[in-house]
Amino acid sequence: MSSRLLDSLRLQAQHLLKQQFSFSTLLWAGVLLRLVMLVYGEWQDATMQVKYTDVDYRVFTDAARFCLAGQSPYERATYRYTPLLALLLTPNIWLLNAFGKLLFVGGDLVVGYTTHRLLTLRGLDSAAATRWTALWMLNPFVATISTRGNAESLLGALVLLVLYLLARRRDVAAAVVFGIAVQLKFYPIIYALPFWCLLDDAYTGTRREPVRHLADQVRRFFSWPRIRFGLVSGGVFLALSAAMYALYGWDYLEHTYLYHVTRRDHRHNFSVWFYQMYITSYTEAGAPKLLAFLPQLLPIVVLGAGYAKDPAFALFAQTFAFVAFNKVCTSQYFMWYLCFLPLVLASTRLHLLWRGAAMFGAWVATQGAWLAYAYQLEFLGRNTFYELWLAGIAFFLANIWILVEFVRHHEYAPWFRNGHLNKVWGTDKTA
């Protein structure tokens, strides 16, 4: 009897735990966290010298004001984004100044919802998926970025929506969303390779004869689903770009795309290229501007093609390498890969309690050292540029170690077999 009683109590406790951590509860907790931070941000902006709202949000709002007046958003100095973002935020002017922040918070919530759906589609039960999704929904860093008025959550929402649509085998709709994402910010173009490679015979369920000739291999590689994905996504991007060019001319191309290729941002940031750009900011000396892009290319191609059949990990690894090697790296860029983290951790063989904690500790410690020198530079007026650069190198090395550990311990699981989604996670990996 005692054994049966214990089993009964254990089952009831498990049921209570699942009810307590239901996804709806998590969703409302995420909403409440962000609303509290929005209210706090308004209070800090009104009462403190150091503002809570990101300076970029004021740039977005000013650009939206120019758009509403029938002028170019690029009349606002330092606006280096697609006009589409400024047009989306015109309600900041005529409705509510916090409209954009609410929109970005909405993007946060879409990321959480889509993450939960993807985890359950891959085989996790709702309770386990909820616990992994909590890494995003209850993450104070994530909530701070969006409530300060940074638009990165919109990109995360769009890219994860592409993954979700591909998981449901709605590749045309996924291509449309992908085209919009690349128009909103160009960096998601790096995902084109894994998306292209994913759409193979395993995805479509097509049965073919073994390849005997090179011509057959080429034809199979350039299959109709892949060509269609490229045509649709490229067509959406080009149509939006043509509309923006018709409205704002060369300024659109210059400030949205070309500037980011040739920029020499000498302001302090996490990049290992920072000090080189700082000491050559007023000269033509030093490495060519395009040289900084070359170290990014190899890991992006290798990781994107090598893990394309497991697209969540491919996108995470690509983005992590892209940010680590970027010639300009700020904290908001971390959002680009954090949105994939719950999906990756659910399929890793990492011992999260020990090795995972060490990786997180290295990431935080090296970042903290950088922030300490940045504080001395910004608020105390000390010349710590060299120390900042050394701290940036330490942060870079920590990131490379973290990426290597994720690759070494990743449990590779192709998403599709014979045209059907491969549900590989039948148990709770958090146990």
Side-chain angles (χ1 to χ4, degrees):
M1 290 295 294
S2 59
S3 177
R4 290 182 180 180
L5 179 61
L6 288 174
D7 288 341
S8 176
L9 291 174
R10 179 176 57 82
L11 291 174
Q12 291 181 22
Q14 290 179 348
H15 177 73
L16 181 63
L17 188 63
K18 290 183 178 181
Q19 293 297 319
Q20 182 180 358
F21 289 99
S22 68
F23 180 66
S24 59
T25 301
L26 175 65
L27 186 62
W28 283 112
V31 171
L32 179 61
L33 171 65
R34 285 155 178 81
L35 289 178
V36 168
M37 296 184 76
L38 282 171
V39 172
Y40 169 80
E42 293 297 314
W43 175 81
Q44 180 173 327
D45 286 346
T47 59
M48 296 187 184
Q49 183 177 1
V50 178
K51 304 303 181 185
Y52 182 83
T53 299
D54 196 307
V55 65
D56 282 347
Y57 190 72
R58 295 185 173 88
V59 174
F60 300 157
T61 302
D62 291 343
R65 184 175 291 107
F66 280 114
C67 286
L68 205 59
Q71 299 175 273
S72 169
Y74 303 110
E75 294 292 325
R76 199 327 177 164
T78 74
Y79 185 77
R80 313 290 188 185
Y81 311 91
T82 174
L84 189 60
L85 181 59
L87 293 170
L88 283 173
L89 297 188
T90 51
N92 279 14
I93 311 303
W94 57 266
L95 180 61
L96 180 69
N97 182 259
F99 170 83
K101 292 182 180 181
L102 293 172
L103 179 65
F104 303 152
V105 164
D108 261 0
L109 300 178
V110 170
V111 169
Y113 177 81
T114 310
T115 297
H116 186 269
R117 293 291 298 138
L118 283 168
L119 288 169
T120 54
L121 282 174
R122 296 301 315 280
L124 281 184
D125 62 71
S126 181
T130 297
R131 286 190 281 276
W132 287 117
T133 307
L135 293 175
W136 174 269
M137 295 293 288
L138 301 182
N139 189 323
F141 174 80
V142 168
T144 299
I145 293 292
S146 59
T147 55
R148 291 187 67 215
N150 193 283
E152 303 306 331
S153 63
L154 295 183
L155 268 298
L158 289 172
V159 173
L160 281 175
L161 184 56
V162 174
L163 277 179
Y164 176 74
L165 291 169
L166 288 174
R168 301 297 299 268
R169 294 189 62 204
R170 298 176 59 185
D171 54 292
V172 174
V176 172
V177 178
F178 183 55
I180 296 172
V182 177
Q183 165 59 220
L184 196 59
K185 185 167 282 190
F186 196 66
Y187 87 86
I189 193 65
I190 66 176
Y191 307 142
L193 179 61
F195 288 154
W196 175 277
C197 294
L198 177 67
L199 301 176
D200 61 358
D201 294 346
Y203 180 86
T204 61
T206 304
R207 294 186 178 182
R208 303 178 189 268
E209 295 296 325
V211 175
R212 294 186 176 88
H213 305 288
L214 178 61
D216 294 335
Q217 189 172 357
V218 172
R219 281 194 296 270
R220 184 173 296 187
F221 184 77
F222 291 98
S223 62
W224 170 240
R226 287 173 170 173
I227 293 174
R228 180 176 60 193
F229 186 89
L231 289 175
V232 172
S233 59
V236 170
F237 170 76
L238 291 175
L240 289 171
S241 296
M244 297 300 103
Y245 183 81
L247 288 171
Y248 305 112
W250 179 257
D251 281 347
Y252 160 67
L253 297 177
E254 171 67 26
H255 294 286
T256 306
Y257 302 114
L258 301 180
Y259 167 80
H260 296 283
V261 174
T262 60
R263 69 187 289 188
R264 301 179 71 170
D265 195 336
H266 62 277
R267 297 183 62 189
H268 58 281
N269 61 81
F270 290 100
S271 172
V272 293
W273 296 93
F274 146 69
Y275 197 64
Q276 163 72 20
M277 293 184 179
Y278 168 67
I279 62 178
T280 63
S281 58
Y282 298 105
T283 70
E284 293 301 320
K289 299 174 184 178
L290 294 179
L291 182 62
F293 287 102
L294 296 181
Q296 293 176 307
L297 186 60
L298 183 61
I300 287 173
V301 172
V302 171
L303 293 169
Y307 289 96
K309 306 298 179 61
D310 194 350
F313 185 78
L315 270 56
F316 168 80
Q318 278 189 304
T319 311
F320 204 98
F322 180 76
V323 172
F325 284 95
N326 209 307
K327 67 175 182 177
V328 177
C329 178
T330 62
S331 59
Q332 67 193 49
Y333 291 9
F334 304 155
M335 291 274 284
W336 297 356
Y337 57 75
L338 286 177
C339 63
F340 304 117
L341 194 58
L343 299 173
V344 171
L345 290 179
S347 62
T348 188
R349 291 181 284 108
L350 270 171
H351 193 296
L352 297 180
L353 184 61
W354 300 110
R355 191 180 297 271
M359 292 160 59
F360 179 72
W363 190 79
V364 171
T366 52
Q367 188 178 160
W370 185 95
L371 290 171
Y373 289 119
Y375 174 81
Q376 294 178 44
L377 176 67
E378 283 286 328
F379 295 96
L380 304 181
R382 297 174 183 170
N383 185 351
T384 59
F385 282 101
Y386 185 70
E387 290 82 357
L388 268 174
W389 178 56
L390 294 178
I393 292 176
F395 184 62
F396 170 78
L397 294 175
N399 276 274
I400 297 303
W401 174 59
I402 290 169
L403 179 59
V404 169
E405 289 299 307
F406 270 116
V407 170
R408 287 182 59 236
H409 294 89
H410 178 62
E411 188 174 327
Y412 180 74
W415 275 32
F416 291 94
R417 296 185 187 277
N418 301 319
H420 297 286
L421 188 65
N422 188 23
K423 296 188 176 184
V424 296
W425 303 332
T427 58
D428 182 356
K429 287 178 172 290
T430 62

